[in-house]
Amino acid sequence: MIQRTSFLLFLIVCSFSFLSFAQQKYTLSGTISEAASNETLIGVTIAVPELQTGVTTNEYGFYSITLPEGEYRILVNYLGFKDVVQTISLNQNQKINFQLVEEAEQLEEVIVTEDIEKMDIRTPQMSVNTMSVETIKKIPVILGEADVIKSILLLPGVTNAGEGASGFNVRGGAVDQNLILLDEAIIFNSSHLFGFFSVFNPDAIKDIKLYKGGIPARYGGRVSSVLDIFQKEGNSKELKVNGGIGAVASRLLVEGPLIKDKAAFLVGGRGSYAHLFLPLFNQDNTAYFYDLNTKLNYNINDKNSIYLSGYFGRDVFGINDSFVNTYGNSVGNFRWNHLFSDKLFSNLSLIYSDYYYGLKLDFVGFDWNSGIQNFNVKYDLKHYLSDKLQVNYGVNNIYYSFNPGKIAPSNAESGIVEDQLTKKYANEFAAYIDVEHDITKNLSLGYGVRFSNFIRLGQDELNIYENDNPVIFDPFLLVYQEAEPIETVNTRGGGNLATFNNFEPRASLSYTFNNNSSVKASYTRLAQYLHLLSNTSSPTPLDVWTPSGPFTKPQLLDQYALGFFKNIKDGDYSLETEVFYKDIQNRIDYIDGANLIANDAIETVILNGEARAYGLELLLRKNEGKFQGWLAYTLSRSEQRTPGRISTVDNGRSNLETGINFGNWYSTPYDKTHDISMFASYDLNEKWDFNTNFVYQTGQPTNYPVGQFEFQGLTVPYYGLRNTERLPDYHRIDVSATLTPRKNKKRKLQAEWVFSIYNLYSRRNAASINFRRNVDTGVNEAVRTSIFGIVPAVTYNFKF
């Protein structure tokens, strides 16, 4: 497949080279940045109306477009900034850097708007959502803290397990199937305080993009989505400070020049302090988080720039100092941008990522530490062959070290014996090529392939099982049981435990009917070699990541999507509608009664199954005017199953096992049939603006007891098939109002007050429903557990 792809690219390049003899062509290239800070801008459109063509800037603000010799009007457009219109005479290769000025009001330039709309409609990229930081800060959320993860939950196809739930689910996928990147570094846990906040400080964020399908070949390693987040680079013109003081947390960000117009720094920090008030209520408990964002950049010359970025965050939860839970992420990235020519851009990244989980139990007398580390080397290149053809290609290699857990005594009297669960090691290599190709005026293609190689390296202890089967099935009791290992071997220096190779083709197309409507289709193949071991609907920090190996196969996804896209009234409104189907092989499932915590033989409680998801997504946006927002609706199903294997009993007969739920499909814990989200923003005047959002979701699947029995005086419930019941439907309305004092215009300090109310009508949404026997009446009863009712909050934001 690689040979055929390379041959096709060769023919395409030769065709364009032949045509270049007929008319001389030249390249226009450069970078686009914000005039006030020199911050480079991602996704800026550079359009050439005369030729009905154009490009967008990459992740580092670079653009390149090759055009026939001539005079052209160049239109530069980016949301929230004034349009730039410049006429150039292209009779040689030229480098032009544009600096955009932020605007307070939208300019009424119809010709610019029409051309930009055409570019959006034409691109084959689909199933992708972008969200500006300004929009995120407007969305009302719990306790008034702007939140990236909570904001993307308002997009079609994105949900989570409810209030206080960690992570997010995309198109019926699990939390561990999302690749979350911060400046290209992998984030393994995106939540603070067990899901109430995300780890991303919105003040430090520059760009956010969520890929739900049609995922470019440069991404891999997860089968559901990619959330790609880039931090700001820092202001290289002047010192700037901004921050906010909220009900439970505050933040501060400082950025400024190290060398004016050449080098800059950024340092941002957040911390919560609600736990400081607990002693007033005679509570000795602790629950807080803090994090730090840093970045340095240095523009060496026109062809070389370097960046050094990092993130460090920790959560601490404690009960009377006898139970202390600490967890968080640490990441660092060194990047070097190099421009080989006006058509070839490269980026080299050296990345370190670490997720740590610690637990201290003084009343038991032991400390628990676990985590996952990885070291990643990436080299990406983008080749602008012409205005119709762009090629991305590169390689990356990730080395993983998994620490499932280490137990150590916290004091001499504890009696705990130090023990280290077997560490696991793996290496993941990938190479990719991705092509963006405008075939005709109406037809655009994106196609590519990713080759991934995953090696499960040797470890100190590896269990060996009879018939190589760590899970055995009892044909008489019809239950799965953990197999006992027949021996344990050391393979640390004795070769690899397993090797997996996968080709992951990607293809997408866009056919434009006219300037305002198009149809798009995509196919995506993805492989995922890491698995999050969790049998709860919302993962917890205690959940452990494990690599594919001898007993756990990599997950493989095939996703198909088809969509219709339309701009209405010159882009004042836009409509996006997509249907999708996802098929996932080797989705792990758990035997009944599986124990995942501190299990050094995790292969004895998991089975390989399959999953599928399919649905319809609608997104209607209003993009212009004082009143803006969107309405999103998703109709979908998410299911999985684990059919029975063929097993051999003592007499040599082959029996078909029952599997999970007798091998039938059943709803995943994150299946939501209906999901409706609405966000609306109204700018009343320069002083006040108002925002609201509404959320409705079908209740998530759960298990209720179907009967009970008495055993030694105890009433024991028993359950039927998995996830056949549902919690009550979830819905709420949030509102906020932002007050910007008019006197701000006359002073350097700019400030605003944000007043918000979460769950306006105090809906008691069920986080869970438990069953118990009433002590007084002796009657069984259901008890609903809710986390929040109505929650008002006030936040003070400032900058100078």
Side-chain angles (χ1 to χ4, degrees):
M1 182 175 293
I2 291 179
Q3 290 179 340
R4 283 187 291 177
T5 303
S6 301
F7 181 67
L8 177 60
L9 286 175
F10 175 75
L11 290 178
I12 293 170
V13 173
C14 289
S15 299
F16 278 96
S17 299
F18 175 77
L19 291 175
S20 66
F21 287 106
Q23 185 176 11
Q24 185 65 46
K25 293 187 176 183
Y26 298 103
T27 299
L28 175 68
S29 63
T31 58
I32 299 180
S33 60
E34 184 179 349
S37 64
N38 278 338
E39 184 87 32
T40 57
L41 299 174
I42 303 173
V44 180
T45 300
I46 303 93
V48 185
E50 290 89 343
L51 300 180
Q52 296 186 351
T53 188
V55 293
T56 58
T57 56
N58 68 4
E59 291 81 1
Y60 300 94
F62 177 78
Y63 76 94
S64 176
I65 184 169
T66 300
L67 306 169
E69 181 179 0
E71 188 172 283
Y72 301 102
R73 188 160 52 96
I74 305 300
L75 306 176
V76 183
N77 176 274
Y78 191 60
L79 182 65
F81 290 82
K82 291 183 179 180
D83 299 325
V84 173
V85 181
Q86 181 173 330
T87 300
I88 66 167
S89 181
L90 195 62
N91 51 24
Q92 61 180 356
N93 293 337
Q94 294 187 37
K95 181 174 183 180
I96 301 179
N97 298 328
F98 294 98
Q99 290 206 321
L100 305 187
V101 178
E102 192 172 357
E103 65 177 356
E105 297 181 0
Q106 183 69 33
L107 296 181
E108 298 292 338
E109 294 197 36
V110 177
I111 186 169
V112 175
T113 304
E114 287 178 349
D115 286 327
I116 298 306
E117 286 171 9
K118 186 185 298 183
M119 291 300 301
D120 291 338
I121 290 295
R122 283 181 56 83
T123 175
Q125 190 176 72
M126 65 181 301
S127 307
V128 178
N129 294 114
T130 59
M131 188 175 289
S132 69
V133 175
E134 288 73 18
T135 299
I136 290 173
K137 290 183 177 181
K138 287 184 176 182
I139 295 175
V141 292
I142 184 69
L143 298 171
E145 292 297 311
D147 193 284
V148 172
I149 301 299
K150 295 295 187 294
S151 298
I152 66 174
L153 295 177
L154 298 178
L155 298 172
V158 187
T159 63
N160 75 350
E163 292 168 326
S166 298
F168 57 98
N169 308 103
V170 176
R171 288 185 169 177
V175 170
D176 69 307
Q177 295 173 338
N178 302 313
L179 177 63
I180 304 175
L181 301 173
L182 179 64
D183 277 350
E184 301 182 302
I186 300 174
I187 300 294
F188 286 94
N189 188 328
S190 62
S191 300
H192 277 314
L193 294 183
F194 304 99
F196 292 121
F197 305 96
S198 75
V199 300
F200 307 110
N201 181 350
D203 289 340
I205 299 304
K206 176 165 92 170
D207 185 76
I208 299 166
K209 188 172 291 185
L210 176 67
Y211 297 87
K212 299 178 295 184
I215 298 174
R218 66 180 179 273
Y219 299 108
R222 301 292 187 276
V223 296
S224 190
S225 74
V226 177
L227 180 61
D228 199 5
I229 300 177
F230 280 86
Q231 294 186 123
K232 292 179 178 178
E233 296 163 6
N235 192 318
S236 65
K237 286 186 175 291
E238 59 181 334
L239 183 69
K240 291 288 185 179
V241 178
N242 66 284
I245 302 172
V248 296
S250 292
R251 63 192 191 279
L252 182 69
L253 183 136
V254 182
E255 55 182 325
L258 294 172
I259 303 174
K260 190 173 178 62
D261 293 328
K262 286 187 69 70
F265 74 93
L266 178 146
V267 178
R270 287 191 306 170
S272 65
Y273 39 72
H275 65 287
L276 299 177
F277 301 101
L278 293 178
L280 299 177
F281 305 96
N282 295 320
Q283 294 287 329
D284 294 330
N285 300 342
T286 297
Y288 65 90
F289 72 85
Y290 58 91
D291 54 31
L292 176 70
N293 298 80
T294 61
K295 196 161 188 179
L296 301 173
N297 79 81
Y298 179 49
N299 184 17
I300 300 173
N301 53 40
D302 290 343
K303 293 186 178 295
N304 296 279
S305 297
I306 57 174
Y307 304 84
L308 181 62
S309 60
Y311 168 83
F312 178 83
R314 282 293 182 267
D315 281 72
V316 179
F317 175 74
I319 301 177
N320 299 324
D321 291 330
S322 60
F323 171 91
V324 180
N325 176 203
T326 305
Y327 66 94
N329 300 276
S330 303
V331 301
N333 185 3
F334 172 80
R335 282 174 290 171
W336 170 40
N337 287 175
H338 177 65
L339 193 61
F340 285 101
S341 70
D342 52 14
K343 292 186 177 183
L344 183 57
F345 179 92
S346 71
N347 177 70
L348 173 67
S349 297
L350 307 177
I351 307 167
Y352 168 79
S353 177
D354 171 78
Y355 174 66
Y356 166 81
Y357 178 85
L359 190 63
K360 182 177 182 180
L361 298 176
D362 271 356
F363 63 92
V364 179
F366 79 82
D367 292 337
W368 169 275
N369 295 282
S370 64
I372 174 175
Q373 294 178 321
N374 74 73
F375 302 88
N376 187 2
V377 179
K378 291 175 76 267
Y379 194 47
D380 302 289
L381 300 101
K382 183 160 189 174
H383 207 153
Y384 300 83
L385 296 176
S386 73
D387 62 316
K388 304 295 184 184
L389 183 65
Q390 301 171 28
V391 181
N392 301 274
Y393 47 93
V395 296
N396 77 283
N397 191 85
I398 308 175
Y399 173 80
Y400 296 98
S401 175
F402 302 84
N403 177 15
K406 179 180 181 180
I407 300 175
S410 60
N411 55 68
E413 294 79 24
S414 68
I416 298 294
V417 178
E418 183 172 317
D419 185 29
Q420 169 69 62
L421 299 183
T422 303
K423 291 185 177 181
K424 301 177 177 67
Y425 307 91
N427 191 84
E428 182 176 353
F429 169 82
Y432 73 91
I433 183 169
D434 212 0
V435 180
E436 303 168 37
H437 193 182
D438 292 339
I439 302 296
T440 68
K441 177 182 176 180
N442 300 98
L443 180 62
S444 297
L445 299 181
Y447 49 91
V449 65
R450 180 184 182 90
F451 169 76
S452 58
N453 165 265
F454 188 86
I455 301 175
R456 176 71 178 273
L457 303 172
Q459 59 194 48
D460 292 336
E461 294 182 354
L462 176 68
N463 292 332
I464 305 299
Y465 300 91
E466 186 176 358
N467 298 324
D468 210 24
N469 185 11
V471 181
I472 57 177
F473 179 75
D474 189 321
F476 302 103
L477 299 177
L478 300 180
V479 296
Y480 288 95
Q481 299 174 339
E482 304 174 32
E484 292 292 332
I486 56 178
E487 67 173 312
T488 301
V489 297
N490 187 326
T491 61
R492 189 74 175 96
N496 303 325
L497 301 182
T499 300
F500 304 97
N501 296 302
N502 282 288
F503 284 95
E504 306 170 36
R506 322 284 171 89
S508 59
L509 66 85
S510 170
Y511 185 81
T512 305
F513 297 107
N514 51 50
N515 292 350
N516 291 310
S517 61
S518 67
V519 62
K520 301 183 182 183
S522 68
Y523 166 74
T524 306
R525 172 83 166 185
L526 289 161
Q528 177 171 335
Y529 300 100
L530 305 188
H531 311 267
L532 182 64
L533 303 176
S534 176
N535 53 9
T536 62
S537 59
S538 174
T540 70
L542 189 58
D543 298 330
V544 176
W545 290 83
T546 190
S548 297
F551 308 109
T552 309
K553 299 177 182 179
Q555 300 177 65
L556 299 175
L557 164 86
D558 291 288
Q559 179 175 190
Y560 310 86
L562 177 67
F564 175 74
F565 303 82
K566 185 174 181 61
N567 285 325
I568 305 169
K569 289 189 175 182
D570 293 330
D572 287 353
Y573 299 85
S574 60
L575 174 67
E576 303 175 24
T577 176
E578 293 188 36
V579 292
F580 67 90
Y581 181 84
K582 298 168 60 174
D583 179 75
I584 300 175
Q585 304 173 43
N586 305 324
R587 178 62 184 166
I588 60 174
D589 208 338
Y590 308 96
I591 67 174
D592 292 331
N595 177 28
L596 304 180
I597 299 176
N599 189 340
D600 210 10
I602 201 70
E603 64 273 6
T604 62
V605 295
I606 60 177
L607 296 169
N608 287 310
E610 58 182 326
R612 68 184 181 188
Y614 48 91
L616 165 71
E617 297 176 354
L618 296 172
L619 179 63
L620 177 64
R621 289 181 179 268
K622 187 178 187 302
N623 303 311
E624 304 290 345
K626 286 181 172 292
F627 177 77
Q628 298 183 25
W630 67 78
L631 175 66
Y633 172 68
T634 306
L635 172 67
S636 63
R637 288 296 305 272
S638 175
E639 302 171 310
Q640 69 183 73
R641 71 170 177 175
T642 305
R645 306 168 302 178
I646 299 295
S647 63
T648 302
V649 295
D650 293 339
N651 59 11
R653 290 188 301 108
S654 294
N655 285 344
L656 180 65
E657 301 173 356
T658 58
I660 304 297
N661 271 24
F662 298 104
N664 297 317
W665 290 100
Y666 68 92
S667 297
T668 64
Y670 27 88
D671 174 57
K672 305 288 181 69
T673 307
H674 301 282
D675 178 17
I676 302 173
S677 302
M678 182 273 294
F679 167 71
S681 175
Y682 181 70
D683 292 332
L684 179 63
N685 49 43
E686 293 181 359
K687 189 175 181 180
W688 286 98
D689 69 78
F690 300 92
N691 307 282
T692 184
N693 44 259
F694 168 75
V695 175
Y696 171 86
Q697 296 175 353
T698 301
Q700 69 187 66
T702 188
N703 298 303
Y704 294 151
V706 297
Q708 64 184 33
F709 60 90
E710 299 289 335
F711 179 74
Q712 296 182 353
L714 298 175
T715 301
V716 181
Y718 63 87
Y719 296 81
L721 300 178
R722 294 187 185 183
N723 294 346
T724 55
E725 306 292 339
R726 288 184 181 270
L727 295 177
D729 292 351
Y730 179 100
H731 54 87
R732 72 171 200 276
I733 290 178
D734 313 319
V735 295
S736 71
T738 302
L739 168 63
T740 305
R742 288 195 174 96
K743 61 184 179 180
N744 276 1
K745 292 184 177 181
K746 300 179 180 179
R747 61 182 184 181
K748 188 174 182 180
L749 175 65
Q750 306 288 308
E752 65 180 19
W753 291 89
V754 181
F755 307 93
S756 64
I757 301 177
Y758 179 86
N759 197 0
L760 181 64
Y761 51 83
S762 197
R763 162 76 174 178
R764 294 288 177 176
N765 289 299
S768 64
I769 292 182
N770 299 309
F771 294 83
R772 68 184 183 189
R773 172 175 289 185
N774 189 292
V775 177
D776 298 325
T777 65
V779 177
N780 292 336
E781 60 183 7
V783 180
R784 174 186 297 201
T785 301
S786 299
I787 299 178
F788 290 116
I790 185 171
V791 183
V794 179
T795 303
Y796 174 75
N797 297 321
F798 61 88
K799 61 181 178 180
F800 57 87

